[in-house]
Amino acid sequence: MRRYLRYWREAFDFRGGAYRLDYWLVQVVNNLIFALIIFIVGTIFNEWTLSNHISSIFSLFIFIPNISMFIRRLRDSGLPQQIIGLILFSPFLIGILSGIITALGLLIAVPFLLLIYLIGIIFLLFRRSAYWTPYLDIQQKINYAIVFVTIIVLIIGLQIFTIKKQMTGINNIWQKALTQQHQQTQRESKLIDKSASSQKNIESILSSAMSSAAPDTHNSGKTQKPIPDISVKALPDDKATASYRNLSEMRLGDNDFGTFTVQGHWEQDSSTLQWLLSIQEERALIMTSTMGQGFGVDISSLPFEKIAGQSYFQLKQQGDLQVWRIDGTYREPTTDQIKAMSYLEWHMPDGHIRVMYLISQSKPLLNTIINSVATTYS
């Protein structure tokens, strides 16, 4: 302890000397302090970032004392001041020499150069004192040897335990990430299975009714429609619809489906042409899709709970293109709530079909949105 305390008392002494025992004892004690900081703060309290900060602060504290002891050790070994100055400047020279060797294509020689340099520095630090070396008897040498071995073994043990702890933490994080990925995959698989099952149910329940209800321009008078033609009645605005009319306009759709103007700020699903609006504790959904050369009504993943009737209206921006509309109710799977739903379908002049679903609890709101689609779709 006296030797280590002298290290701090002589922190700014660049002219004295330091024995070999003084120098190496200080080095192992400082390394023990580093190992204890990481072990206590990082391993026990699991504050790895804080342990790094404390270690960095301790490194700053011992920087000047280490430099002064290094110089005193070289002076004690009998080296002149000019050689000590060259040794202090040697890291920069070694860096320049390594760069030159690398530029010449001799990269494999750089590790050997660094190894020789390190061995040379250690050799100089291990030189005996050129002035006077304290005499230690056998018992003192044994005692110091026990101290050195004990500290070194303790440092190695703490570092091994810390590394194992860190590896365990990394493995736990990795396992947690794998578990989350596996759970996400399972959720996606369940959604896919649910979608496939819903698709089959919808096809079996709605395909005959909705396909037979499609407009028939050749034989409309002779075909009896299972869904009655019911004209849409104007409904007074409810609270949600009144708030909706005061919102700013927003353009939805894309170049493939077409675009239309609605009110409010609609949030789009990242992967599909679906938009969601929340207003006055009411939620409205718009889902659009396109079909190839169509063969009747689109069978979607949104089955009607009950079909109330069908009607027709015109798209004003498309030369009075007729749109087929089916109204009814929809049961939301997550909340089991019954909501109003309107299904829209029209055939473009190029033969492609456009399909739109609108879902809400407010029928006046659905009518208002459909009127906007009728006048702004392009």
Side-chain angles (χ1 to χ4, degrees), residues 54-304:
I54 296 176
S55 298
S56 300
I57 294 173
F58 183 66
S59 297
L60 291 177
F61 272 110
I62 66 174
F63 179 74
I64 297 299
N66 277 349
I67 293 295
S68 64
M69 172 162 272
F70 181 76
I71 293 175
R72 294 200 307 273
R73 174 81 276 269
L74 295 179
R75 284 173 54 85
D76 189 67
S77 65
L79 294 177
Q81 185 174 350
Q82 294 79 4
I83 298 298
I84 295 176
L86 181 62
I87 293 174
L88 293 175
F89 192 68
S90 61
F92 301 98
L93 299 178
I94 291 296
I96 296 173
L97 185 58
S98 299
I100 295 174
I101 293 175
T102 303
L104 294 176
L106 301 175
L107 183 61
I108 193 174
V110 174
F112 293 99
L113 173 65
L114 297 178
L115 181 62
I116 293 172
Y117 172 74
L118 181 61
I119 293 174
I121 294 295
I122 293 175
F123 171 77
L124 293 177
L125 293 173
F126 265 110
R127 293 180 64 188
R128 289 175 58 87
S129 174
Y131 306 103
W132 176 75
T133 300
Y135 174 78
L136 299 177
D137 58 29
I138 298 298
Q139 186 60 46
Q140 289 176 319
K141 292 181 179 179
I142 293 175
N143 292 338
Y144 276 111
I146 293 174
V147 170
F148 271 93
V149 171
T150 302
I151 295 177
I152 292 173
V153 170
L154 185 58
I155 292 173
I156 295 174
L158 291 174
Q159 290 178 340
I160 292 175
F161 189 87
T162 301
I163 292 173
K164 287 184 177 180
K165 183 71 173 180
Q166 286 179 318
M167 293 303 297
T168 302
I170 293 173
N171 289 335
N172 290 338
I173 295 174
W174 180 249
Q175 290 296 331
K176 184 177 181 181
L178 290 178
T179 302
Q180 291 177 346
Q181 180 65 28
H182 180 65
Q183 292 174 349
Q184 179 66 21
T185 303
Q186 287 182 331
R187 285 194 294 267
E188 293 175 355
S189 299
K190 289 180 180 179
L191 289 175
I192 293 173
D193 294 340
K194 183 177 180 181
S195 176
S197 176
S198 177
Q199 180 80 9
K200 293 179 181 179
N201 293 335
I202 297 163
E203 291 177 357
S204 62
I205 296 173
L206 296 179
S207 58
S208 59
M210 297 183 73
S211 296
S212 61
D216 188 348
T217 57
H218 300 289
N219 197 22
S220 58
K222 298 179 181 180
T223 303
Q224 183 179 2
K225 298 181 177 64
I227 303 175
D229 289 342
I230 300 177
S231 59
V232 178
K233 295 181 180 180
L235 298 174
D237 287 355
D238 56 12
K239 187 177 180 180
T241 307
S243 299
Y244 171 83
R245 294 184 185 277
N246 295 325
L247 300 176
S248 59
E249 292 185 345
M250 182 176 182
R251 198 74 178 169
L252 304 185
D254 63 2
N255 293 332
D256 188 27
F257 176 85
T259 59
F260 53 94
T261 300
V262 291
Q263 310 292 114
H265 179 71
W266 294 73
E267 297 181 358
Q268 183 181 1
D269 182 88
S270 59
S271 59
T272 61
L273 284 179
Q274 296 185 33
W275 291 272
L276 182 67
L277 173 69
S278 297
I279 176 174
Q280 292 290 336
E281 299 182 356
E282 175 60 51
R283 295 166 68 87
L285 172 71
I286 295 178
M287 186 180 75
T288 63
S289 67
T290 60
M291 302 176 62
Q293 297 296 331
F295 298 96
V297 177
D298 171 48
I299 302 301
S300 174
S301 59
L302 300 175
F304 278 95

Side-chain angles (χ1 to χ4, degrees), residues 194 283 330-339 359 361:
K194 183 177 180 181
R283 295 166 68 87
Y330 162 78
R331 183 183 297 273
E332 191 175 56
T334 56
T335 63
D336 218 31
Q337 289 181 333
I338 303 298
K339 297 184 178 181
I359 299 175
Q361 287 180 311

